[in-house]
Amino acid sequence: MNASEVAAPLNAAARALPPQVVVLALALLLGMQPITTDLYLPALPLLKAGLDAPMERVQMTMAALLLAFGAGQLVMGPLSDRFGRRPVLLGGLALHAAGAAGAALAGDIVVFIALRAVQGVGLAASVVCARAMVRDLFEPHQGATVMSQGLSGLGVIAFASPTVGGLLAAWGGWRSSMTALSLCSAAILVFVMLKLPETAPRRDPQATAPGPLLRRLAEIAAHPGFRAWALLVASTYAGLYVLLAGTSFVYIGTLGMSTAQYGVTLATCSLAYIAGTFHCRRLLPRRGLAGAAWVGGFFTLAGGLSMLALGLADVRSVPLVIGAQWLYSWGHGFHQPCGQVGAVAPFPRAAGTASALAGFILALVAFGMGLWLGRALDGSLAMLGWGVAVPAAVTALIAWTLVRRHGEPGH
């Protein structure tokens, strides 16, 4: 233990925390990410028309959110190691609710983008603290099972978000999506206040000091297991980002769906993701984290190559396109729980900082995908195919090489 750390056993409330409350907390806190992204996706064409915004600016509403989300994690992670998870969570959720409420009132796309960035900073606190909380309470393999259960709950939220978002967009336009988002984050804030105690077993007074923080970040980044898992999570999310931010223009603009139909279609992909998390959970006891990720790589690659084949052949079959998206989402259900636990597993005393760095890498990659998508998005299936196939191939390669060699905790 570093001499600067203040060690203490978990407080009585954290020790008595029922597992089902932990799983629910994970589902809600990590579920803030799909709520923040998926709820407004069916309304993107309406937002573009309502604010008379060019496509590049519309795509920046997602890219700015993710860039702020990534940068915010580099702040929120060390803060949670310094002051504990609970105060950072409460402040972040309040900031997120305020940013969404302001975005619902925005009259200009630039203002909307800025308020999405505010939401990204608040979201960073939610996700970083949730990941760190798992490391606070569980050893890596048990934590992977709990994380998988929480991410199954996230899948339910991800299933509901675009469905509700499509109905809201059809009923009240894009502003209703932001209003609902603000209410959701406020409700989760109340849950945390009432049900979730502090879980950090120690505080590090130097966690936010520039010198020690930079040394710790360098130490984390140099760890081969961390690099393997962080790159896996970033690459699998890159393909998912294209599916989230690009499919509304393809399904609605090219394949002729309504906003409500698109919301339901996107929601079905969340069911595939949930199935993937259950499949992953069954394999974990026998194959471990790295072995489960290895299996997930086959689903991810199959989904990406199928989407590319459909795009190059210009096969405008909704069932086939959705089927390819289901395969990718199934693989994502393997990589997310394993990757989020694997990245922080070697750092029990700096779980918040490790989680933050992994999240920053993910957000930086997603931001780059957003910039590319803003220029490449033309509503074609070919664009969608390339945008999913390349990250799928990279994800599978990482799962079968780097993660296979370095990803198992303790190896």
Side-chain angles (χ1 to χ4, degrees):
M1 181 184 302
N2 189 300
S4 66
E5 292 177 341
V6 180
L10 288 176
N11 60 50
R15 287 198 305 269
L17 201 57
Q20 61 267 29
V21 173
V22 177
V23 171
L24 177 59
L26 284 175
L28 293 175
L29 294 174
L30 295 174
M32 286 295 298
Q33 190 168 354
I35 292 173
T36 305
T37 56
D38 297 11
L39 193 68
Y40 94 127
L41 290 177
L44 279 179
L46 298 177
L47 175 70
K48 182 179 185 299
L51 295 182
D52 192 24
M55 179 63 74
E56 288 189 17
R57 290 285 178 88
V58 172
Q59 288 300 319
M60 276 298 295
T61 65
M62 179 75 86
L65 168 82
L66 291 173
L67 186 63
F69 173 56
Q73 289 182 72
L74 292 179
V75 176
M76 298 300 181
L79 283 176
S80 73
D81 286 337
R82 170 67 181 87
F83 298 106
R85 317 304 180 204
R86 183 177 163 85
V88 174
L89 263 178
L90 294 175
L93 287 166
L95 185 65
H96 187 278
L105 302 174
D108 178 82
I109 189 64
V110 175
V111 174
F112 187 88
I113 290 170
L115 289 167
R116 288 292 278 174
V118 171
Q119 293 169 47
V121 176
L123 178 63
S126 177
V127 172
V128 161
C129 291
R131 293 172 182 159
M133 183 176 70
V134 174
R135 189 64 186 91
D136 293 340
L137 298 172
F138 306 101
E139 291 303 313
H141 283 88
Q142 185 185 9
T145 299
V146 173
M147 178 66 82
S148 180
Q149 291 172 337
L151 289 176
S152 295
L154 175 149
V156 175
I157 293 173
F159 171 79
S161 293
T163 304
V164 173
L167 294 173
L168 285 172
W171 169 71
W174 64 267
R175 295 184 190 276
S176 62
S177 301
M178 288 294 107
T179 302
L181 178 58
S182 180
L183 294 174
C184 284
S185 51
I188 296 172
L189 173 62
V190 172
F191 169 82
V192 171
M193 291 177 64
L194 297 178
K195 295 294 184 181
L196 201 60
E198 180 58 59
T199 63
R202 59 182 61 85
R203 313 288 191 276
D204 182 358
Q206 295 193 30
T208 54
L213 175 58
L214 289 175
R215 286 193 295 272
R216 179 160 288 179
L217 287 170
E219 176 190 348
I220 292 168
H223 194 286
F226 171 83
R227 290 200 301 266
W229 287 117
L231 291 173
L232 181 83
V233 171
S235 59
T236 184
Y237 191 81
L240 184 70
Y241 179 92
V242 173
L243 292 172
L244 293 176
T247 50
S248 62
F249 296 95
V250 174
Y251 282 131
I252 295 172
T254 302
L255 301 181
M257 287 185 173
S258 67
T259 55
Q261 288 172 331
Y262 169 71
V264 173
T265 298
L266 193 61
T268 65
C269 297
S270 298
L271 294 179
Y273 171 77
I274 294 171
T277 64
F278 275 96
H279 191 180
C280 174
R281 197 150 64 242
R282 291 189 62 184
L283 292 180
L284 280 170
R286 291 184 288 112
R287 290 183 172 266
L289 292 174
W294 185 83
V295 173
F298 289 97
F299 291 98
T300 300
L301 187 61
L305 293 181
S306 298
M307 190 71 77
L308 179 59
L310 292 171
L312 293 178
D314 197 26
V315 177
R316 301 191 180 190
S317 167
V318 172
L320 291 178
V321 174
I322 294 173
Q325 193 167 348
W326 282 351
L327 283 171
Y328 192 94
S329 299
W330 193 293
H332 194 66
F334 280 78
H335 299 313
Q336 277 292 301
C338 294
Q340 291 190 20
V341 171
V344 302
F347 311 102
R349 297 175 183 174
T353 304
S355 172
L357 184 57
F360 176 73
I361 293 169
L362 179 151
L364 198 62
V365 170
F367 179 74
M369 293 299 293
L371 294 180
W372 171 79
L373 198 59
R375 291 171 173 78
L377 188 59
D378 56 6
S380 70
L381 283 172
M383 179 282 306
L384 188 64
W386 282 113
V388 178
V390 172
V394 173
T395 300
L397 184 63
I398 293 171
W400 296 339
T401 57
L402 295 178
V403 168
R404 192 71 169 169
R405 290 193 200 108
H406 307 297
E408 200 62 44
H411 287 191

